[in-house]
Amino acid sequence: MSGWSIAEAARVLLAAEDAGTARGPITEEWPGLDVRTAYAVQDEALRLRLARGEKLIGLKLGLTSKAKQERMGVDRPVMAWLTDAMVLPAADPLPKLIHPRAEPEIVFVLGSRLAGPGVTAATAMAAVDRVYGGIEVIDSRYADFRFAAPDTIADNASSSVFRVGSVGVAPTGLDLTLEACLLEADGAIVDSATGAAVLGHPGEALALAANALAERGLALEEGWIVLTGGLTDAVPVSPGARVAAHFTSLGSVTLAG
């Protein structure tokens, strides 16, 4: 043991985020950092965020594809907190980040509280008020995006900022399995996917989040925003770059580096 603790890891990672500086993986210095402890670090960092005036507004999921899970050595998606400081207003460029990467997301806004256990995709979708397209910008505090699963969980799943589109659609009548997205970078289409890329249906990700939170005595609250996970691989966003996500039913979302 090298002096690491939940409080120290939260402090170090939040300081790295604030300063825009990268470091090596914490697991290399603290081998005892496991997934459960990493979520405790995440919760402590949230406490620090709230203490400085941020407001909790929702949850994000990551590693929602089996291929990404296998690369990271985990058997389920990871979750992390969203605060109001992470919302990127429509007219704003990206703030200065370490090594930002953008990925398109299907975004839910909850109309009612959703608490596990036993939540299914169908019951999860019944709690959704509106569905939006969005772009999340991930920005790991670890150099070269090199980390183990507990590292990224402790780092709030590489959160930085996100933008939600202006087109909100009621979930009834939407086939989110087939909802398509084209990812554009600097005028060229670089990737595409449908909602099926997120655990077969984004509602499955929402149900998983509710059931996983129930294990910690928590629930998804009315009005929360839920980012359901990247539809495609994330693309780097260099200064001056332009990234856009074009959805079948959910409009387009654009951001500039």
Side-chain angles (χ1 to χ4, degrees):
M1 185 68 180
S2 57
W4 283 99
S5 66
I6 290 168
E8 179 65 6
R11 184 195 67 78
V12 165
L13 288 169
L14 200 54
E17 179 180 341
D18 292 341
T21 57
R23 54 157 295 126
I26 291 179
T27 50
E28 292 183 352
E29 303 171 35
W30 186 11
L33 180 64
D34 57 16
V35 166
R36 174 176 284 191
T37 307
Y39 275 115
V41 172
Q42 195 184 98
D43 291 346
E44 172 60 14
L46 175 64
R47 187 190 69 77
L48 295 174
R49 292 178 190 274
L50 299 181
R52 68 188 189 184
E54 296 180 41
K55 296 180 180 178
L56 177 62
I57 61 169
L59 188 87
K60 59 166 276 186
L61 290 105
L63 304 182
T64 48
S65 78
K66 290 298 182 184
K68 290 181 181 178
Q69 290 171 30
E70 288 172 3
R71 285 203 299 269
M72 290 302 301
V74 297
D75 60 0
R76 66 163 73 179
V78 300
M79 300 182 300
W81 301 114
L82 298 176
T83 73
D84 59 341
M86 301 173 190
V87 176
L88 185 65
D92 288 6
L94 279 185
K96 187 178 183 301
L97 299 170
I98 302 169
H99 35 205
R101 299 181 182 182
E103 57 188 23
E105 307 245 353
I106 289 175
V107 182
F108 294 142
V109 175
L110 298 185
S112 60
R113 191 172 191 263
L114 184 61
V119 174
T120 65
T123 55
M125 291 306 300
V128 174
D129 179 52
R130 285 288 184 272
V131 184
Y132 294 83
I135 295 178
E136 184 190 6
V137 180
I138 57 174
D139 189 41
S140 173
R141 266 54 69 176
Y142 304 112
D144 303 318
F145 273 84
R146 184 176 64 85
F147 46 69
D151 290 303
T152 192
I153 292 169
D155 190 33
N156 208 51
S158 303
S159 65
S160 68
V161 295
F162 68 93
R163 175 169 290 162
V164 177
S166 60
V167 178
V169 180
T172 53
L174 271 180
D175 188 341
L176 289 179
T177 300
L178 297 178
E179 179 69 18
C181 176
L182 298 176
L183 181 62
E184 176 190 342
D186 292 327
I189 300 301
V190 295
D191 209 342
S192 64
T194 67
V198 179
L199 300 179
H201 187 289
E204 296 287 354
L206 185 61
L208 183 149
N211 292 327
L213 283 178
E215 296 173 7
R216 297 157 61 188
L218 303 171
L220 294 163
E221 302 296 340
E222 179 182 352
W224 272 16
I225 296 168
V226 180
L227 307 183
T228 58
L231 293 169
T232 69
D233 280 337
V235 297
V237 186
S238 56
R242 178 183 176 277
V243 176
H246 306 289
F247 296 86
T248 304
S249 307
L250 304 175
S252 295
V253 188
T254 303
L255 59 83

